[in-house]
Amino acid sequence: MQSSVRGIAAMGQTFVILTGGIDLSVGSLALLVMGMAATFMQGRVGLQPTLAGIAIMLIVGTAIGATSGLAVSRIKMPALIVTFALWIALKGVALRVTGGYVITNIPKPIGFLGQGYVAGFPIIGIAFITIAAITYFVLEHTTFGRSVYATGGNPVSAWLSGINVNNVIFMAFAISGLCAGISAWATMSRLACFTMAAVEGLEIDAIAVTVIGGISLMGGRGSVIGVIIGTFILGIISNGMNILAVAPAYHTIVKGAIIYAAVAIDYLRRRR
Amino acid sequence: MIEKEITKSFSDKAKDVARRIFRNENAVLAAILVVLIAIFAVMTRGVILLQEMCWVF
């Protein structure tokens, strides 16, 4: 289930990295929208506030992602700096909105996505597979998908070929924001509460999964199927270390080593 | 002579298939995943398999 949250965020990250950018704000963005929705839903009951809370997470997530996209595509700011600044700022905004408290009294129907099962299958797993299938279809079988690859591969050639590179980058960041919103929804649904540590390290996990899956950090190369396998690889490693009671410090060391190795392999392959 | 040629072409085919699999990034990743599952299954005495199967099924 944890793999699904990570995988959904990674699907958004895939779009951004394929255009040659990077989105470091995913974790803080998910934290903020979770905090906003939890604050709104706190003390309310029923389906209506739940739907409104979900709408807050998805709309605000997409809007903030689109803001990053505007800064990168129109003002031409580096994606790393824009999203790094947002990563820091949004964490502060989340702290301001929620006061840093744990919010528990949220409506019960929010648990549907994270705790529900359909014919023995966890709904969150089905959601991840569905989002992965949509991402695969969009990237492999639509004009927009091919534009994403072309933009990341060579932006100048893409521009000369008639692709609106700025729009593609803008859309990629907006999709990443939407996926962060869905991840926030899934996390809140799974935990049935809000805590400041709920999505700790989500951005690192999303980037790790994407890079393990073979998406080149230079942009323009990689496949969604690789990202899905990468999600399972990181899931197995994290889960295995948890079962073996490995100290949390080693978890981050292993993740860092995996990202390092994946990027090194990518660069060596490109040099050949 | 003929038998030798057939054997040679079979090994060539096998090498070709292996090379293709190795060149296919997703196949390599899937192989890494299978190896990791096997390693963790041994290390956790099958506990991880139960958990992952719960996730999948």
Side-chain angles (χ1 to χ4, degrees):
Chain A
M1 289 185 181
Q2 217 171 348
S3 294
S4 299
V5 173
R6 196 182 286 140
I8 292 166
M11 288 301 146
Q13 192 74 247
T14 300
F15 279 94
V16 175
I17 293 182
L18 277 176
T19 61
I22 194 159
D23 191 353
L24 294 177
S25 67
V26 170
S28 294
L29 175 51
L31 185 71
L32 172 64
V33 296
M34 256 179 90
M36 287 173 74
T39 309
F40 171 78
M41 291 190 289
Q42 192 177 17
R44 297 173 198 244
V45 287
L47 192 62
Q48 271 187 337
T50 309
L51 293 176
I54 292 167
I56 288 172
M57 287 191 264
L58 301 187
I59 294 168
V60 175
T62 310
I64 296 174
T67 310
S68 303
L70 275 179
V72 175
S73 65
R74 310 291 165 179
I75 310 175
K76 306 291 177 196
M77 290 169 73
L80 186 78
I81 305 299
V82 171
T83 56
F84 181 62
L86 271 177
W87 177 50
I88 298 166
L90 295 180
K91 204 171 259 187
V93 178
L95 189 64
R96 179 73 188 84
V97 168
T98 62
Y101 297 112
V102 176
I103 300 171
T104 51
N105 51 343
I106 52 176
K108 289 268 185 287
I110 195 81
F112 170 75
L113 177 67
Q115 297 167 20
Y117 284 81
V118 171
F121 286 87
I123 294 173
I124 191 169
I126 298 170
F128 166 55
I129 298 298
T130 309
I131 291 169
I134 293 169
T135 307
Y136 176 80
F137 177 78
V138 170
L139 284 175
E140 302 292 332
H141 298 287
T142 66
T143 314
F144 172 71
R146 304 324 293 171
S147 304
V148 169
Y149 278 99
T151 301
N154 191 333
V156 178
S157 299
W159 181 263
L160 291 172
S161 307
I163 294 168
N164 193 335
V165 173
N166 289 340
N167 273 0
V168 171
I169 293 171
F170 170 77
M171 285 296 290
F173 277 93
I175 292 168
S176 179
L178 174 66
C179 289
I182 299 171
S183 294
W185 172 18
T187 305
M188 186 188 268
S189 177
R190 200 163 64 90
L191 303 176
C193 71
F194 165 84
T195 70
M196 286 296 286
V199 282
E200 186 84 46
L202 181 65
E203 61 285 318
I204 302 300
D205 282 358
I207 294 168
V209 161
T210 315
V211 173
I212 293 167
I215 304 287
S216 173
L217 281 176
M218 310 287 281
R221 265 188 61 183
S223 76
V224 178
I225 294 167
V227 179
I228 296 169
I229 301 172
T231 305
F232 288 122
I233 288 177
L234 200 64
I236 288 282
I237 292 170
S238 297
N239 202 9
M241 287 196 294
N242 279 336
I243 293 168
L244 293 170
V246 175
Y250 291 104
H251 288 226
T252 48
I253 292 171
V254 169
K255 275 181 201 169
I258 291 169
I259 297 175
Y260 190 94
V263 174
I265 290 167
D266 178 42
Y267 270 76
L268 286 172
R269 195 184 285 148
R270 275 183 174 256
R271 261 177 43 179
R272 239 188 266 162
Chain B
M1 183 70 183
I2 294 165
E3 198 177 321
K4 197 180 175 186
E5 271 183 10
I6 291 167
T7 316
K8 196 182 172 188
S9 68
F10 177 76
S11 69
D12 277 352
K13 273 184 186 173
K15 273 182 190 171
D16 192 42
V17 169
R19 203 175 293 130
R20 271 190 212 166
I21 289 171
F22 191 71
R23 276 187 187 164
N24 187 323
E25 284 178 22
N26 293 338
V28 174
L29 280 172
I32 291 170
L33 179 61
V34 170
V35 169
L36 278 173
I37 290 172
I39 290 170
F40 277 110
V42 171
M43 287 173 78
T44 62
R45 292 174 188 172
V47 176
I48 198 165
L49 281 181
L50 286 173
Q51 287 200 358
E52 296 305 319
M53 288 303 129
C54 285
W55 192 95
V56 175
F57 300 108

